[in-house]
């Protein structure tokens, strides 16, 4: 499995944290989320898979919470891992990130996740905005495959 991001911290114990994230395309634009805390950054909509929850259910839930949009059935693009400290959870995590391609189909309201805003961006700009190298890799690949980059 491909790994992105910061190097492992020697002697640090990491807790495995699976998550599902979406490249969301509609009418030639990409839907991202901007998270204000703990560090302001643009991200692919998505997040952790709760115990007993499947990745697709988590993806639909997280996309809605972070953008306010419901999404079409997703198509899996791939998976990567990264090791990071998550200050909002005081957790050293081995994140297993599955990345999916979907289409926002219905705006049902504002994001319900505190500190998140839905942002539409032009494809090339969206790739540059993403804070995470793994997310950038999968988004750029999907956009190239679709002839949008």
């Amino acid at each position: 499995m491909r790994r992105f991001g910061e190097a492992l911290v020697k002697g640090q114990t990491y807790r495995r944290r699976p998550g599902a994230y979406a490249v969301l395309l509609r009418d030639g634009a990409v839907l991202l989320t901007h998270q204000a805390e703990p560090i302001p950054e643009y991200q692919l909509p998505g997040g952790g898979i709760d115990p007993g929850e499947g990745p697709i259910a988590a993806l639909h839930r997280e996309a809605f919470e972070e953008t306010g949009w419901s999404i079409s059935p997703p198509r899996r693009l791939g998976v990567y891992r990264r090791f990071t400290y998550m200050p909002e959870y005081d957790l050293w995590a081995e994140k297993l990130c599955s990345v999916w391609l979907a289409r926002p189909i219905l705006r049902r309201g504002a994001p319900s996740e505190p500190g998140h805003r839905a942002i539409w961006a032009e494809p090339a700009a969206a790739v540059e905005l993403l804070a995470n190298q793994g997310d950038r890799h999968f988004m750029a690949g999907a956009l190239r495959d679709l002839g949008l980059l």
Side-chain angles (χ1 to χ4, degrees):
M1 178 185 315
R2 189 147 183 197
R3 184 168 72 82
F4 291 94
E6 51 201 78
L8 287 167
V9 174
K10 198 172 211 161
Q12 180 62 54
T13 301
Y14 292 85
R15 192 169 110 215
R16 186 167 282 180
R17 188 168 196 279
Y21 302 87
V23 174
L24 299 176
L25 301 172
R26 182 179 171 141
D27 300 326
V30 179
L31 182 58
L32 303 174
T33 186
H34 182 268
Q35 177 179 295
E37 300 284 336
I39 299 165
E41 63 184 21
Y42 292 92
Q43 305 170 340
L44 290 181
I49 300 170
D50 292 337
E53 183 178 43
I56 293 175
L59 184 65
H60 282 275
R61 176 183 54 77
E62 287 282 353
F64 174 68
E65 289 174 356
E66 293 183 357
T67 68
W69 284 78
S70 58
I71 63 172
S72 67
R75 178 173 60 92
R76 189 171 182 267
L77 296 174
V79 64
Y80 71 94
R81 106 169 58 174
R82 71 186 187 111
F83 295 87
T84 189
Y85 178 70
M86 301 175 69
E88 64 271 35
Y89 301 108
D90 189 26
L91 173 70
W92 288 90
E94 174 191 6
K95 295 186 76 173
L96 301 177
C97 306
S98 61
V99 184
W100 305 76
L101 177 64
R103 185 173 185 271
I105 55 173
L106 179 65
R107 184 173 186 268
R108 297 171 43 201
S112 60
E113 184 78 22
H116 283 74
R117 289 185 301 128
I119 304 291
W120 288 97
E122 181 270 329
V127 172
E128 294 302 317
L129 285 171
L130 289 172
N132 176 315
Q133 181 185 8
D135 291 352
R136 286 193 305 270
H137 169 82
F138 279 98
M139 178 182 280
L143 294 173
R144 274 193 302 276
D145 290 348
L146 295 167
L148 297 172
L149 267 188

